[in-house]
Amino acid sequence: MKLRKVTAASAAVLALALAATACGSDNDKDSGSSPSGGSKKITIGIKFDQPGIGQKTPQGYAGFDVDVATYVAKKLGYSANQIQWKESKSADRETMLQRGDVDFIAASYSITPEREKSVDFAGPYLLAHQDVLVRADDNSIKSPSDLNSKKLCSVTGSTSAQNVKDKLAPKANLQQYPTYSACLTGLQNGAIDALTTDDSILAGYAAQSQFKGKFKLGGFKMTNENYGIGVKKGSDLKAKINTALEDMVSDGSWKAAVEKNFGPANYKNEPAPKIGDVKS
């Protein structure tokens, strides 16, 4: 009789231990966000406020970078509903990667020697250029030098407009607005004559339904901006993402994403860059 009681008690303890182990396994599976750790989720940094590139909308997330990141995540073994999107503002990107807040960042993230000291880059996956956006009926700006005496807009703190004023059109009347959307409003109502930043970003804004046919790109290609996918320094994700980007180009998905996000603005994009080929 005493033996049966001991056996029953032991069985109860064993059952509780097994239950606790099972619960622990589920919790371990859900914790963390590193792809190499077997997580159910992957955390990706994007812009939330750049139409055509990366934008948070009532319907979800949209833009070229979103399409690229979603394709890469799928190649890494994650479905779209396993992606956690995180806003990555320009000034925060290196810190977010170093802290492990995200697994990778695709956010109009130009590869530069200075940034490569802090993080690694896969890609590039898009070669953009600094350009200007003007009103569709304005034929007075045919080259960067035509910006002299024109009202040139960019966002406060941006180096784009200052680059034009310093090197290409020293007599340009530089106007700094808080957002690109404010610059667009000024361009539309005639308060400014041109908006400058990366051509991909300009094309994304111009492709919005409310702006179709109202603006055009200058096509000046004033700088090279090699967009890469940022990862933590030394991460083995770099090689895996590079393979995914090559697949995206070869199966036609890259071209389809360009046409989908930039096509309405008649964006004359560069061919898909080769991995590791960073244009200076």
Side-chain angles (χ1 to χ4, degrees):
M1 192 72 176
K2 193 178 285 184
L3 180 61
R4 277 199 297 273
K5 283 182 180 179
V6 171
T7 303
S10 300
V13 170
L14 179 61
L16 286 170
L18 288 172
T21 302
C23 290
S25 297
D26 287 343
N27 289 337
D28 290 342
K29 215 170 185 181
D30 288 335
S31 65
S33 61
S34 172
S36 59
S39 167
K40 287 182 177 180
K41 298 286 185 181
I42 186 168
T43 305
I44 303 173
I46 58 169
K47 291 291 181 65
F48 277 15
D49 59 352
Q50 286 185 345
I53 300 288
Q55 186 180 26
K56 184 178 182 180
T57 73
Q59 293 74 40
Y61 300 90
F64 181 69
D65 282 350
V66 174
D67 290 342
V68 170
T70 301
Y71 184 98
V72 168
K74 184 177 180 181
K75 287 290 183 175
L76 293 175
Y78 297 89
S79 60
N81 61 9
Q82 290 175 311
I83 298 173
Q84 293 179 325
W85 300 108
K86 199 172 187 73
E87 184 173 20
S88 298
K89 295 181 179 178
S90 295
D92 301 333
R93 291 176 296 199
E94 286 82 46
T95 302
M96 291 176 71
L97 288 169
Q98 291 169 335
R99 283 194 313 228
D101 296 342
V102 291
D103 293 300
F104 66 81
I105 290 178
S108 54
Y109 202 1
S110 295
I111 302 171
T112 68
E114 188 62 29
R115 288 170 178 164
E116 287 183 306
K117 294 176 183 177
S118 305
V119 301
D120 285 340
F121 285 97
Y125 63 92
L126 183 72
L127 176 59
H129 305 282
Q130 186 182 339
D131 201 356
V132 296
L133 192 71
V134 299
R135 288 182 292 278
D137 60 356
D138 186 350
N139 297 313
S140 67
I141 302 174
K142 298 178 181 178
S143 70
S145 62
D146 292 331
L147 294 167
N148 280 306
S149 302
K150 298 287 189 180
K151 293 177 182 176
L152 177 66
C153 187
S154 196
V155 296
T156 304
S158 168
T159 59
S160 298
Q162 196 62 48
N163 179 56
V164 173
K165 187 170 176 60
D166 289 347
K167 300 176 183 178
L168 302 167
K171 294 182 180 178
N173 183 0
L174 183 56
Q175 306 282 314
Q176 295 192 16
Y177 284 23
T179 65
Y180 289 119
S181 296
C183 282
L184 273 174
T185 300
L187 184 59
Q188 191 170 9
N189 63 28
I192 63 169
D193 301 305
L195 161 61
T196 186
T197 188
D198 296 356
D199 54 7
S200 57
I201 296 173
L202 296 174
Y205 276 102
Q208 291 182 284
S209 58
Q210 68 268 37
F211 295 134
K212 283 181 184 176
K214 294 182 179 179
F215 305 115
K216 63 183 178 183
L217 290 162
F220 298 158
K221 298 184 179 181
M222 293 180 278
T223 63
N224 289 331
E225 305 296 336
N226 302 271
Y227 287 3
I229 292 181
V231 297
K232 192 172 185 177
K233 200 76 174 171
S235 172
D236 62 355
L237 273 181
K238 177 179 175 179
K240 296 175 182 178
I241 293 173
N242 278 336
T243 299
L245 292 174
E246 289 174 336
D247 291 344
M248 188 175 189
V249 173
S250 63
D251 69 14
S253 299
W254 183 90
K255 184 179 180 181
V258 168
E259 292 174 350
K260 168 189 167 187
N261 293 290
F262 304 130
N266 295 317
Y267 175 51
K268 294 178 175 60
N269 64 282
E270 297 280 4
K274 291 182 179 179
I275 299 301
D277 184 13
V278 179
K279 303 291 186 185
S280 59

